[in-house]
Amino acid sequence: MSSPDLPPDAWPWLHDRGRWLASWLFRPVYRVRVHHRERIPARGPVVVVANHSAFVDGPLLFGLLGRRAVFWVKQEMFTGVAGWGLRRIGQLPVRRGEADRRPLTAAIGVLRGGGLVGVFPEGTRGSGDVATAEHGAAWLARTSGATVLPVVSRGTRRPAGSGRRWRPRVDVVVGRPLSVPAGGGRAGLTAATETMRAELAGMVRELDELRSKA
């Protein structure tokens, strides 16, 4: 049976099992601290925008958000058993660096069903400083009217030159819901994207400062 807050080919029961698994899967590996979890809306359409510095960022957030979550995942992951499983738990493949309307329309369907869509606006893993951002998340928010929720994390990426780490501390900060400019056309989309990027970049800087004093 399908659910309006998931893509049509997802299995809701498997999605919920997957979230339960992800909620404890990383506990033996990381010491995770979630700041301001109460800011996550319990229901209604939400676009979560997050920085991206390590492979585990997506699965980690999937288990931490406390509600069903549909992430955009790079197309290359959708092969074999892993691809089958990602589709059944409701994750959406996206082709990076080329025009692809399918993940956009599928995500709009999830948001109109009252669901939550997660996007890494940087488009790929890197330093996680959010120096650049793609337009997809802003387009989703402007088209659907969904709440935009910024989330940043630090600690999942191994520092350059460091060796193996033993249960490193990971901080996840949930920001306040963000208003994006409503102007039309390409200029409006660019302004909304920059608003999201600047908010995420500022949160990352604040979190880095907080962690440097810990």
Side-chain angles (χ1 to χ4, degrees), residues 52-75:
H52 197 13
S53 62
F55 173 80
V56 300
D57 291 338
L60 186 67
L61 290 181
F62 183 68
L64 288 179
L65 292 171
R67 56 178 288 186
R68 290 175 174 172
V70 175
F71 279 82
W72 278 349
V73 180
K74 63 180 180 181
Q75 174 72 41

Side-chain angles (χ1 to χ4, degrees), residues 135 138 142 179-183 185-198:
H135 292 314
R142 285 158 50 87
S179 296
V180 297
R186 188 75 176 178
L189 181 61
T190 299
T193 299
E194 175 56 21
T195 296
M196 292 183 186
R197 188 207 65 77

Side-chain angles (χ1 to χ4, degrees), residues 9-11 14-15 18 62 77-92:
D9 56 353
W11 294 357
L14 189 58
H15 177 100
F62 183 68
M77 294 292 296
F78 285 78
T79 59
V81 174
W84 180 89
L86 286 169
R87 290 184 188 280
R88 296 290 86 77
I89 64 171
Q91 308 310 292
L92 297 173

Side-chain angles (χ1 to χ4, degrees), residues 43-151:
R43 61 186 61 83
V46 176
V47 176
V48 166
V49 290
N51 69 323
H52 197 13
S53 62
F55 173 80
V56 300
D57 291 338
L60 186 67
L61 290 181
F62 183 68
L64 288 179
L65 292 171
R67 56 178 288 186
R68 290 175 174 172
V70 175
F71 279 82
W72 278 349
V73 180
K74 63 180 180 181
Q75 174 72 41
E76 293 89 331
M77 294 292 296
F78 285 78
T79 59
V81 174
W84 180 89
L86 286 169
R87 290 184 188 280
R88 296 290 86 77
I89 64 171
Q91 308 310 292
L92 297 173
V94 59
R95 294 187 176 92
R96 298 175 297 175
E98 59 181 276
D100 186 0
R101 293 195 63 83
R102 288 178 296 179
L104 293 171
T105 55
I108 288 294
V110 169
L111 293 169
R112 287 176 177 164
L116 181 151
V117 174
V119 179
F120 297 104
E122 295 162 284
T124 188
R125 298 194 302 274
S127 65
D129 294 334
V130 203
T132 62
E134 305 288 341
H135 292 314
W139 186 88
L140 287 179
R142 285 158 50 87
T143 302
S144 68
T147 297
V148 178
L149 192 69
V151 177

